[in-house]
Amino acid sequence: ADGSTAIVGGYTDNDTTGAAWVWSRNGGVWTRQGNKLVGSGAVGYSVYQGSSVSLSADGNTAIIGGPGDNSGAGAAWVWTRSGGVWTQQGPKLVGSDAVGGAQQGRSVSLSADGNTAIVGGTRDNSDAGAAWVWTRSGGVWIQQGNKLVGSGAVGMGGFGAMQGTSVSLSADGNTAIVGGPSDNNFVGAAWVWTRSGGVWTQQGT
């Protein structure tokens, strides 16, 4: 939020394993903070970590998407900073109820406090696409409800809407927008979701 921390993804680093780098600014000078971030628990080659990245408002929580993990199932990794040192927080995030190679981690976003994350999986269910929401409590991440799949999608020519190609969360984490650029023969669309009492509901059409 204050512009003094940046995260940069490089998804083809190390033969497409991928990685991300954090930079901090002090007195107008940018300095790399620690080593590159490469999440543990990745499966297979071409994980593409760093395809998507997002920071919390204070810059102390980062999420990094790797849509190629585990033969295209995809995953996301969360990292936290303390005293200028970055540490992976828990195992990689892989949402349940995915259908086929969902490519989870194609897009990611964090709420301002870093306690809510949304992860897009653009290839879920034959390119219909979906998004998964995760919440953090006591340093543990738990999937919140089922995957989000917006209604009213129009698939044409063998393509689904590819929902989850882009995602974003409001600061309080209670509103999400999910992009589906292939909807209706690539006209594209977006779906808005709101959270109340831990339950997500599509808002409007």
Side-chain angles (χ1 to χ4, degrees):
D2 65 5
S4 63
T5 302
I7 187 168
V8 181
Y11 65 89
T12 61
D13 184 64
N14 191 20
D15 197 23
T16 67
T17 295
W21 290 259
V22 177
W23 297 76
S24 61
R25 178 172 60 179
N26 188 7
V29 177
W30 287 92
T31 305
R32 195 177 86 187
Q33 190 169 58
N35 298 321
K36 65 184 180 184
L37 306 183
V38 181
S40 64
V43 177
Y45 299 97
S46 298
V47 177
Y48 298 124
Q49 292 185 51
S51 292
S52 57
V53 293
S54 185
L55 285 173
S56 59
D58 63 7
N60 289 327
T61 301
I63 187 169
I64 300 170
D69 185 59
N70 194 15
S71 300
W77 287 259
V78 177
W79 296 77
T80 57
R81 176 174 64 179
S82 179
V85 177
W86 287 90
T87 306
Q88 184 177 324
Q89 187 173 58
K92 65 185 181 184
L93 307 183
V94 182
S96 64
D97 61 11
V99 179
Q103 292 191 6
Q104 295 179 51
R106 177 64 64 188
S107 58
V108 294
S109 183
L110 285 174
S111 60
D113 63 6
N115 289 328
T116 301
I118 187 169
V119 179
T122 188
R123 304 301 294 271
D124 184 64
N125 193 17
S126 300
D127 296 342
W132 287 260
V133 177
W134 297 79
T135 58
R136 176 174 62 180
S137 179
V140 177
W141 288 90
I142 299 173
Q143 184 179 327
Q144 188 171 57
N146 298 322
K147 63 184 180 184
L148 307 183
V149 182
S151 63
V154 179
M156 296 180 68
F159 285 92
M162 299 183 84
Q163 296 179 47
T165 300
S166 55
V167 294
S168 187
L169 282 176
S170 59
D172 63 6
N174 289 327
T175 302
I177 188 167
V178 179
S182 299
D183 185 63
N184 194 14
N185 201 24
F186 300 98
V187 172
W191 288 260
V192 176
W193 296 79
T194 57
R195 176 174 61 179
S196 178
V199 177
W200 287 90
T201 305
Q202 184 177 324
Q203 187 174 58
T205 57

PDB file of all heavy atoms in Angstrom, residues 9 28 39 53 61 68 78 81 83 88 96 110 116 132 142 146-148 161 170 181 183 188 199 201-202:
ATOM      1  N   GLY A   9       7.301 -11.546 -10.397  1.00  0.00           N
ATOM      2  CA  GLY A   9       7.315 -12.959 -10.768  1.00  0.00           C
ATOM      3  C   GLY A   9       8.114 -13.209 -12.031  1.00  0.00           C
ATOM      4  O   GLY A   9       8.119 -12.383 -12.947  1.00  0.00           O
ATOM      5  N   GLY A  28      14.508   6.052  -1.603  1.00  0.00           N
ATOM      6  CA  GLY A  28      14.439   6.118  -3.059  1.00  0.00           C
ATOM      7  C   GLY A  28      15.283   5.084  -3.771  1.00  0.00           C
ATOM      8  O   GLY A  28      15.332   5.062  -4.997  1.00  0.00           O
ATOM      9  N   GLY A  39       8.577 -21.917  -3.890  1.00  0.00           N
ATOM     10  CA  GLY A  39       7.821 -22.694  -2.918  1.00  0.00           C
ATOM     11  C   GLY A  39       8.171 -24.165  -2.938  1.00  0.00           C
ATOM     12  O   GLY A  39       8.440 -24.747  -3.998  1.00  0.00           O
ATOM     13  N   VAL A  53       1.265 -12.865  -8.885  1.00  0.00           N
ATOM     14  CA  VAL A  53       1.766 -12.487  -7.558  1.00  0.00           C
ATOM     15  C   VAL A  53       0.852 -11.425  -6.961  1.00  0.00           C
ATOM     16  O   VAL A  53       0.210 -10.668  -7.683  1.00  0.00           O
ATOM     17  CB  VAL A  53       3.217 -11.946  -7.605  1.00  0.00           C
ATOM     18  CG1 VAL A  53       4.198 -13.034  -8.009  1.00  0.00           C
ATOM     19  CG2 VAL A  53       3.320 -10.755  -8.545  1.00  0.00           C
ATOM     20  N   THR A  61       2.848 -10.125   3.584  1.00  0.00           N
ATOM     21  CA  THR A  61       2.325 -11.401   3.108  1.00  0.00           C
ATOM     22  C   THR A  61       2.305 -11.373   1.592  1.00  0.00           C
ATOM     23  O   THR A  61       1.855 -10.384   0.996  1.00  0.00           O
ATOM     24  CB  THR A  61       0.905 -11.677   3.636  1.00  0.00           C
ATOM     25  OG1 THR A  61       0.923 -11.686   5.070  1.00  0.00           O
ATOM     26  CG2 THR A  61       0.385 -13.017   3.140  1.00  0.00           C
ATOM     27  N   GLY A  68       1.226 -24.422 -13.436  1.00  0.00           N
ATOM     28  CA  GLY A  68       1.671 -25.653 -14.072  1.00  0.00           C
ATOM     29  C   GLY A  68       1.972 -26.784 -13.109  1.00  0.00           C
ATOM     30  O   GLY A  68       2.312 -27.897 -13.527  1.00  0.00           O
ATOM     31  N   VAL A  78       2.004 -19.252  -0.205  1.00  0.00           N
ATOM     32  CA  VAL A  78       1.965 -18.042   0.606  1.00  0.00           C
ATOM     33  C   VAL A  78       3.272 -17.909   1.370  1.00  0.00           C
ATOM     34  O   VAL A  78       3.809 -18.889   1.904  1.00  0.00           O
ATOM     35  CB  VAL A  78       0.776 -18.067   1.589  1.00  0.00           C
ATOM     36  CG1 VAL A  78       0.799 -16.828   2.484  1.00  0.00           C
ATOM     37  CG2 VAL A  78      -0.540 -18.151   0.823  1.00  0.00           C
ATOM     38  N   ARG A  81       6.742 -12.254   5.749  1.00  0.00           N
ATOM     39  CA  ARG A  81       8.002 -11.566   6.048  1.00  0.00           C
ATOM     40  C   ARG A  81       8.052 -11.153   7.503  1.00  0.00           C
ATOM     41  O   ARG A  81       7.101 -10.587   8.038  1.00  0.00           O
ATOM     42  CB  ARG A  81       8.131 -10.324   5.156  1.00  0.00           C
ATOM     43  CG  ARG A  81       9.340  -9.466   5.440  1.00  0.00           C
ATOM     44  CD  ARG A  81       9.491  -8.337   4.423  1.00  0.00           C
ATOM     45  NE  ARG A  81       8.362  -7.389   4.472  1.00  0.00           N
ATOM     46  CZ  ARG A  81       8.288  -6.321   3.688  1.00  0.00           C
ATOM     47  NH1 ARG A  81       9.225  -6.061   2.781  1.00  0.00           N
ATOM     48  NH2 ARG A  81       7.249  -5.496   3.785  1.00  0.00           N
ATOM     49  N   GLY A  83      11.112  -9.379  10.044  1.00  0.00           N
ATOM     50  CA  GLY A  83      12.492  -8.912  10.171  1.00  0.00           C
ATOM     51  C   GLY A  83      13.246  -8.935   8.855  1.00  0.00           C
ATOM     52  O   GLY A  83      14.458  -9.149   8.840  1.00  0.00           O
ATOM     53  N   GLN A  88       8.067 -19.463   3.790  1.00  0.00           N
ATOM     54  CA  GLN A  88       6.833 -20.036   3.266  1.00  0.00           C
ATOM     55  C   GLN A  88       5.898 -20.368   4.422  1.00  0.00           C
ATOM     56  O   GLN A  88       6.324 -20.929   5.437  1.00  0.00           O
ATOM     57  CB  GLN A  88       7.124 -21.292   2.452  1.00  0.00           C
ATOM     58  CG  GLN A  88       5.887 -21.901   1.797  1.00  0.00           C
ATOM     59  CD  GLN A  88       6.210 -23.105   0.941  1.00  0.00           C
ATOM     60  OE1 GLN A  88       7.249 -23.162   0.286  1.00  0.00           O
ATOM     61  NE2 GLN A  88       5.320 -24.084   0.940  1.00  0.00           N
ATOM     62  N   SER A  96      -9.977 -27.806  -3.446  1.00  0.00           N
ATOM     63  CA  SER A  96     -10.682 -29.059  -3.705  1.00  0.00           C
ATOM     64  C   SER A  96     -11.734 -28.846  -4.778  1.00  0.00           C
ATOM     65  O   SER A  96     -11.980 -27.732  -5.214  1.00  0.00           O
ATOM     66  CB  SER A  96     -11.336 -29.559  -2.416  1.00  0.00           C
ATOM     67  OG  SER A  96     -12.328 -28.647  -1.985  1.00  0.00           O
ATOM     68  N   LEU A 110      -4.756 -10.851  -2.852  1.00  0.00           N
ATOM     69  CA  LEU A 110      -4.867 -10.856  -1.396  1.00  0.00           C
ATOM     70  C   LEU A 110      -5.680  -9.658  -0.927  1.00  0.00           C
ATOM     71  O   LEU A 110      -5.633  -8.581  -1.528  1.00  0.00           O
ATOM     72  CB  LEU A 110      -3.486 -10.776  -0.738  1.00  0.00           C
ATOM     73  CG  LEU A 110      -2.601 -12.008  -0.733  1.00  0.00           C
ATOM     74  CD1 LEU A 110      -1.232 -11.659  -0.167  1.00  0.00           C
ATOM     75  CD2 LEU A 110      -3.225 -13.135   0.078  1.00  0.00           C
ATOM     76  N   THR A 116      -7.234 -13.066   3.520  1.00  0.00           N
ATOM     77  CA  THR A 116      -8.098 -13.688   2.526  1.00  0.00           C
ATOM     78  C   THR A 116      -7.366 -13.708   1.199  1.00  0.00           C
ATOM     79  O   THR A 116      -6.764 -12.703   0.806  1.00  0.00           O
ATOM     80  CB  THR A 116      -9.431 -12.933   2.370  1.00  0.00           C
ATOM     81  OG1 THR A 116     -10.106 -12.894   3.630  1.00  0.00           O
ATOM     82  CG2 THR A 116     -10.333 -13.607   1.342  1.00  0.00           C
ATOM     83  N   TRP A 132     -11.019 -20.044  -6.265  1.00  0.00           N
ATOM     84  CA  TRP A 132     -11.077 -20.588  -4.914  1.00  0.00           C
ATOM     85  C   TRP A 132     -10.682 -19.508  -3.923  1.00  0.00           C
ATOM     86  O   TRP A 132      -9.721 -18.768  -4.155  1.00  0.00           O
ATOM     87  CB  TRP A 132     -10.124 -21.778  -4.767  1.00  0.00           C
ATOM     88  CG  TRP A 132     -10.559 -23.028  -5.453  1.00  0.00           C
ATOM     89  CD1 TRP A 132     -11.158 -24.115  -4.884  1.00  0.00           C
ATOM     90  CD2 TRP A 132     -10.430 -23.356  -6.853  1.00  0.00           C
ATOM     91  NE1 TRP A 132     -11.412 -25.080  -5.830  1.00  0.00           N
ATOM     92  CE2 TRP A 132     -10.975 -24.647  -7.057  1.00  0.00           C
ATOM     93  CE3 TRP A 132      -9.909 -22.681  -7.955  1.00  0.00           C
ATOM     94  CZ2 TRP A 132     -11.015 -25.263  -8.298  1.00  0.00           C
ATOM     95  CZ3 TRP A 132      -9.948 -23.293  -9.202  1.00  0.00           C
ATOM     96  CH2 TRP A 132     -10.491 -24.562  -9.374  1.00  0.00           C
ATOM     97  N   ILE A 142      -7.239 -22.119   5.165  1.00  0.00           N
ATOM     98  CA  ILE A 142      -8.342 -23.054   4.977  1.00  0.00           C
ATOM     99  C   ILE A 142      -9.191 -22.569   3.809  1.00  0.00           C
ATOM    100  O   ILE A 142      -9.506 -21.374   3.715  1.00  0.00           O
ATOM    101  CB  ILE A 142      -9.206 -23.163   6.244  1.00  0.00           C
ATOM    102  CG1 ILE A 142      -8.370 -23.682   7.429  1.00  0.00           C
ATOM    103  CG2 ILE A 142     -10.403 -24.094   6.011  1.00  0.00           C
ATOM    104  CD1 ILE A 142      -9.100 -23.650   8.760  1.00  0.00           C
ATOM    105  N   ASN A 146     -17.022 -23.767  -1.401  1.00  0.00           N
ATOM    106  CA  ASN A 146     -16.705 -24.414  -2.664  1.00  0.00           C
ATOM    107  C   ASN A 146     -16.108 -23.420  -3.642  1.00  0.00           C
ATOM    108  O   ASN A 146     -16.128 -22.210  -3.419  1.00  0.00           O
ATOM    109  CB  ASN A 146     -17.971 -25.027  -3.261  1.00  0.00           C
ATOM    110  CG  ASN A 146     -18.567 -26.104  -2.386  1.00  0.00           C
ATOM    111  OD1 ASN A 146     -17.843 -26.877  -1.768  1.00  0.00           O
ATOM    112  ND2 ASN A 146     -19.894 -26.148  -2.326  1.00  0.00           N
ATOM    113  N   LYS A 147     -15.567 -23.919  -4.743  1.00  0.00           N
ATOM    114  CA  LYS A 147     -15.034 -23.039  -5.778  1.00  0.00           C
ATOM    115  C   LYS A 147     -16.146 -22.134  -6.294  1.00  0.00           C
ATOM    116  O   LYS A 147     -17.334 -22.478  -6.267  1.00  0.00           O
ATOM    117  CB  LYS A 147     -14.440 -23.857  -6.922  1.00  0.00           C
ATOM    118  CG  LYS A 147     -15.434 -24.724  -7.676  1.00  0.00           C
ATOM    119  CD  LYS A 147     -14.732 -25.580  -8.720  1.00  0.00           C
ATOM    120  CE  LYS A 147     -15.739 -26.446  -9.479  1.00  0.00           C
ATOM    121  NZ  LYS A 147     -15.062 -27.362 -10.439  1.00  0.00           N
ATOM    122  N   LEU A 148     -15.754 -20.960  -6.763  1.00  0.00           N
ATOM    123  CA  LEU A 148     -16.695 -19.992  -7.306  1.00  0.00           C
ATOM    124  C   LEU A 148     -16.764 -20.153  -8.817  1.00  0.00           C
ATOM    125  O   LEU A 148     -15.756 -20.023  -9.517  1.00  0.00           O
ATOM    126  CB  LEU A 148     -16.247 -18.566  -6.964  1.00  0.00           C
ATOM    127  CG  LEU A 148     -15.965 -18.252  -5.496  1.00  0.00           C
ATOM    128  CD1 LEU A 148     -15.615 -16.781  -5.337  1.00  0.00           C
ATOM    129  CD2 LEU A 148     -17.143 -18.630  -4.610  1.00  0.00           C
ATOM    130  N   ALA A 161     -15.798 -20.289 -20.549  1.00  0.00           N
ATOM    131  CA  ALA A 161     -15.568 -18.872 -20.265  1.00  0.00           C
ATOM    132  C   ALA A 161     -14.168 -18.596 -19.733  1.00  0.00           C
ATOM    133  O   ALA A 161     -13.694 -17.472 -19.773  1.00  0.00           O
ATOM    134  CB  ALA A 161     -16.602 -18.372 -19.270  1.00  0.00           C
ATOM    135  N   SER A 170     -11.374  -6.873  -2.876  1.00  0.00           N
ATOM    136  CA  SER A 170     -11.425  -5.583  -2.192  1.00  0.00           C
ATOM    137  C   SER A 170     -10.524  -5.620  -0.966  1.00  0.00           C
ATOM    138  O   SER A 170     -10.075  -6.687  -0.531  1.00  0.00           O
ATOM    139  CB  SER A 170     -12.856  -5.266  -1.775  1.00  0.00           C
ATOM    140  OG  SER A 170     -13.348  -6.275  -0.910  1.00  0.00           O
ATOM    141  N   PRO A 181     -12.369 -14.229 -19.907  1.00  0.00           N
ATOM    142  CA  PRO A 181     -12.209 -13.561 -21.206  1.00  0.00           C
ATOM    143  C   PRO A 181     -12.731 -14.342 -22.400  1.00  0.00           C
ATOM    144  O   PRO A 181     -12.877 -13.771 -23.477  1.00  0.00           O
ATOM    145  CB  PRO A 181     -10.695 -13.357 -21.302  1.00  0.00           C
ATOM    146  CG  PRO A 181     -10.114 -14.450 -20.461  1.00  0.00           C
ATOM    147  CD  PRO A 181     -11.070 -14.622 -19.324  1.00  0.00           C
ATOM    148  N   ASP A 183     -15.669 -16.005 -22.466  1.00  0.00           N
ATOM    149  CA  ASP A 183     -17.120 -16.152 -22.430  1.00  0.00           C
ATOM    150  C   ASP A 183     -17.756 -15.661 -23.729  1.00  0.00           C
ATOM    151  O   ASP A 183     -17.332 -14.655 -24.314  1.00  0.00           O
ATOM    152  CB  ASP A 183     -17.686 -15.343 -21.251  1.00  0.00           C
ATOM    153  CG  ASP A 183     -19.181 -15.535 -21.081  1.00  0.00           C
ATOM    154  OD1 ASP A 183     -19.598 -16.665 -20.802  1.00  0.00           O
ATOM    155  OD2 ASP A 183     -19.919 -14.551 -21.240  1.00  0.00           O
ATOM    156  N   GLY A 188     -16.134 -12.134 -23.678  1.00  0.00           N
ATOM    157  CA  GLY A 188     -15.611 -11.987 -22.323  1.00  0.00           C
ATOM    158  C   GLY A 188     -16.621 -11.399 -21.362  1.00  0.00           C
ATOM    159  O   GLY A 188     -17.600 -10.760 -21.766  1.00  0.00           O
ATOM    160  N   VAL A 199     -19.945 -16.875   3.637  1.00  0.00           N
ATOM    161  CA  VAL A 199     -20.586 -17.482   2.470  1.00  0.00           C
ATOM    162  C   VAL A 199     -20.491 -16.525   1.286  1.00  0.00           C
ATOM    163  O   VAL A 199     -20.810 -15.331   1.410  1.00  0.00           O
ATOM    164  CB  VAL A 199     -22.055 -17.811   2.757  1.00  0.00           C
ATOM    165  CG1 VAL A 199     -22.730 -18.380   1.514  1.00  0.00           C
ATOM    166  CG2 VAL A 199     -22.160 -18.798   3.916  1.00  0.00           C
ATOM    167  N   THR A 201     -21.647 -15.257  -2.461  1.00  0.00           N
ATOM    168  CA  THR A 201     -22.829 -15.246  -3.316  1.00  0.00           C
ATOM    169  C   THR A 201     -22.554 -14.364  -4.520  1.00  0.00           C
ATOM    170  O   THR A 201     -22.014 -13.254  -4.385  1.00  0.00           O
ATOM    171  CB  THR A 201     -24.047 -14.679  -2.557  1.00  0.00           C
ATOM    172  OG1 THR A 201     -24.227 -15.425  -1.341  1.00  0.00           O
ATOM    173  CG2 THR A 201     -25.299 -14.759  -3.411  1.00  0.00           C
ATOM    174  N   GLN A 202     -22.921 -14.857  -5.703  1.00  0.00           N
ATOM    175  CA  GLN A 202     -22.760 -14.043  -6.899  1.00  0.00           C
ATOM    176  C   GLN A 202     -23.679 -12.825  -6.802  1.00  0.00           C
ATOM    177  O   GLN A 202     -24.853 -12.936  -6.447  1.00  0.00           O
ATOM    178  CB  GLN A 202     -23.084 -14.856  -8.150  1.00  0.00           C
ATOM    179  CG  GLN A 202     -22.849 -14.080  -9.439  1.00  0.00           C
ATOM    180  CD  GLN A 202     -23.116 -14.925 -10.686  1.00  0.00           C
ATOM    181  OE1 GLN A 202     -22.826 -16.129 -10.696  1.00  0.00           O
ATOM    182  NE2 GLN A 202     -23.662 -14.317 -11.718  1.00  0.00           N
TER     183      GLN A 202
END
